[in-house]
Amino acid sequence: MTTAQPSKKQLDFFLPRLKPDSDVKPIDEAGKWLPQNNNAFQAVASSLEYKAPREVKSISSVPTMWARPVSVEMALHNNHYSIREQMIEQWQGMLAALALAEVRGLPLTAQLVELRNFRHEEFARALYELRPSDSNSLYTLENKHPWEDIYIFLWNGKPVGMSSPSTLVCPSEEGEWLGLTWWQNGRLHSPIGHLNSTEKSLLWRWLENLRKQLPNHNGKKQAINTIGGLIDQFRSDLNADTQTALSLTEDPQFFGVPLNRGVLIALNKPVKALEKPSNVRLIPSPEKLISNPEKGKLLDLLIIDPEIARSWNESPQHIWVHGGKTLASLKIEDLQTKKLIWQDVRWIESKDLFLPEFSFINLEEALPGAFLPKETVPLTFEGERITPLIPINPILLEYLTPEDIIRRIQLQPF
């Protein structure tokens, strides 16, 4: 290690330097600790001269175990924060994911962490003792500091963010939102360019409801105005049709636990998709549409298959199934276990349209006058022509005539 003093041009700073008009006063002696007032972090955030040669995820030099939520708080509450716009985009991206979790069938769940219950553990005790200031809190809790109770949000069981008393939500820096269209290059972006017109309208209404809830939970007035202004700007940027009515999920614990701390209650229920005509309804033969007095009206038959989206080259959230469910939001196991029951339609998985076994008569034209499928090549068994018995599920005969069925089927040996 050399003792030579480097020239001014050789200096490299590990942290951003301060602006000339910085609010932070330099210390007069290296290694000396000085007391600071409550706005010290805000002053530092406003005073950084930060011009990075490449894109930066965040400023990670805040000396606290709560660095990430404190950084997000400073970004949203401080107009001069160096990467404020980037942080706002991530914040918007997480809010949109919560709002559209049911519509898009997103794998989001939540867990409540009450730090007071874990003070016997060293890490949790340190978190408890170092709780951030509630000076920007949007709500208060009875006999508790608002930072004591935090919700951790999980994507496919892995943490991607948390709730925050000062910003509602705080996306984690390295969260993996795999499959979310506005999660790109390792971070959340603005969701606006990834939403269809219906989703924009639903999100607009959900944000409106969130905005109305903000003043109702004894929060700090300035904090409410700041976050409220960001929500208003988000709604404006959506440029959505505002005539859509607000409709929320019927599941009181959609994320696995109730979100019921202060204004976070407005995050508890994502929007419910609007009812639209089904894209997977089987269109019956005209002859089958005539009501049978003995059987009554023919219920619609829905054919469900996740591969439809790929075959149609369409996003699953754009393919409507039934009851406000899209191909993205529908969980087929809910239908299989009867957790979800549709009484006004019938449904079947595409794999069940055909029977598991294929039968035939080992004789050519064994059924004169029968409807036989087209053959791509002659059907044979042990070198002799056969007569196939089409292994279709009998339910199809209730909706399609034999002529229509045969026009839709080809047999190909392999």
Side-chain angles (χ1 to χ4, degrees):
M1 183 173 181
T2 179
T3 57
Q5 295 296 317
S7 67
K8 188 175 181 180
K9 291 184 178 179
Q10 292 175 310
L11 289 176
D12 285 320
F13 291 90
F14 287 106
L15 300 176
R17 69 179 76 202
L18 298 176
K19 298 176 183 177
D21 57 348
S22 167
D23 295 328
V24 179
K25 296 180 179 180
I27 59 174
D28 55 8
E29 183 181 342
K32 181 180 179 181
W33 289 88
L34 295 176
Q36 301 287 340
N37 54 29
N38 291 336
N39 65 352
F41 282 142
Q42 291 288 350
V44 171
S46 302
S47 302
L48 294 178
E49 183 76 70
Y50 198 80
K51 295 182 179 179
R54 57 184 175 83
E55 184 181 46
V56 174
K57 294 180 180 179
S58 70
I59 299 173
S60 303
S61 57
V62 180
T64 172
M65 300 169 76
W66 295 91
R68 178 62 176 180
V70 169
S71 294
V72 174
E73 175 181 326
M74 290 191 292
L76 269 58
H77 288 269
N78 186 340
N79 293 333
H80 303 290
Y81 194 76
S82 304
I83 51 174
R84 185 170 192 261
E85 293 306 315
Q86 180 177 305
M87 288 289 204
I88 289 175
E89 283 196 5
Q90 294 181 44
W91 177 76
Q92 291 178 343
M94 185 169 177
L95 282 178
L98 292 173
L100 301 174
E102 180 171 285
V103 172
R104 290 209 170 200
L106 302 181
L108 266 173
T109 55
Q111 292 182 0
L112 174 63
V113 178
E114 297 181 81
L115 292 177
R116 183 176 294 185
N117 297 338
F118 296 94
R119 282 185 291 176
H120 60 282
E121 299 179 8
E122 291 186 4
F123 183 75
R125 185 168 64 250
L127 283 173
Y128 181 86
E129 297 297 337
L130 294 172
R131 298 183 306 274
S133 167
D134 63 354
S135 58
N136 284 321
S137 183
L138 299 167
Y139 57 87
T140 59
L141 299 179
E142 187 175 356
N143 299 322
K144 278 188 176 183
H145 191 284
W147 284 91
E148 280 189 44
D149 292 357
I150 296 296
Y151 292 96
I152 306 299
F153 290 98
L154 309 145
W155 184 274
N156 285 323
K158 295 182 179 180
V160 290
M162 58 181 280
S163 64
S164 166
S166 59
T167 61
L168 299 172
V169 296
C170 168
S172 61
E173 186 170 349
E174 301 292 341
E176 295 184 355
W177 304 73
L178 297 174
L180 186 66
T181 54
W182 53 90
W183 182 74
Q184 299 172 346
N185 301 319
R187 73 175 178 89
L188 290 171
H189 294 259
S190 170
I192 295 175
H194 302 272
L195 306 178
N196 61 34
S197 58
T198 299
E199 290 170 329
K200 288 180 180 179
S201 296
L202 293 172
L203 177 56
W204 191 94
R205 278 295 181 205
W206 187 86
L207 289 170
E208 180 187 47
N209 182 61
L210 175 59
R211 179 69 174 91
K212 290 178 179 178
Q213 283 282 348
L214 277 179
N216 301 334
H217 300 275
N218 300 318
K220 306 294 184 182
K221 185 176 181 180
Q222 181 58 45
I224 292 171
N225 291 339
T226 298
I227 298 302
L230 290 173
I231 293 174
D232 290 339
Q233 186 60 53
F234 190 9
R235 293 168 62 209
S236 176
D237 292 343
L238 284 169
N239 193 26
D241 176 7
T242 60
Q243 301 304 310
T244 302
L246 178 65
S247 180
L248 300 175
T249 180
E250 297 171 1
D251 188 342
Q253 296 187 26
F254 180 87
F255 297 107
V257 295
L259 309 181
N260 56 14
R261 298 307 196 263
V263 72
L264 300 182
I265 193 172
L267 309 181
N268 188 51
K269 289 188 174 184
V271 292
K272 181 180 180 180
L274 300 176
E275 183 75 35
K276 285 193 174 184
S278 177
N279 298 127
V280 298
R281 179 179 69 90
L282 176 65
I283 300 177
S285 302
E287 296 87 339
K288 298 291 185 177
L289 291 174
I290 301 174
S291 296
N292 187 325
E294 295 180 1
K295 296 183 179 181
K297 184 176 181 291
L298 187 67
L299 295 178
D300 286 342
L301 178 64
L302 310 180
I303 300 176
I304 302 173
D305 186 343
E307 289 299 308
I308 289 176
R310 183 182 60 81
S311 299
W312 293 355
N313 193 28
E314 185 59 86
S315 299
Q317 65 268 18
H318 298 166
I319 299 175
W320 298 90
V321 182
H322 181 68
K325 295 288 187 181
T326 66
L327 204 58
S329 62
L330 176 66
K331 296 178 181 177
I332 190 65
E333 57 268 23
D334 287 348
L335 288 170
Q336 294 168 339
T337 60
K338 300 191 183 305
K339 180 180 178 181
L340 176 63
I341 297 176
W342 290 331
Q343 296 182 333
D344 53 342
V345 295
R346 302 168 76 183
W347 64 274
I348 188 172
E349 293 184 72
S350 62
K351 64 182 180 62
D352 296 325
L353 290 173
F354 292 90
L355 304 179
E357 294 184 353
F358 173 65
S359 302
F360 61 88
I361 302 173
N362 59 344
L363 181 68
E364 184 177 8
E365 296 183 1
L367 301 172
F371 292 104
L372 297 177
K374 295 179 182 179
E375 300 176 10
T376 55
V377 297
L379 297 179
T380 62
F381 178 69
E382 296 182 343
E384 299 292 333
R385 291 294 302 273
I386 63 171
T387 300
L389 302 177
I390 307 173
I392 61 170
N393 189 316
I395 193 174
L396 288 177
L397 292 171
E398 299 180 37
Y399 291 83
L400 300 171
T401 62
E403 295 89 342
D404 281 345
I405 290 176
I406 217 66
R407 281 197 294 267
R408 289 168 164 80
I409 293 178
Q410 285 188 347
L411 290 184
Q412 179 177 347
F414 62 92

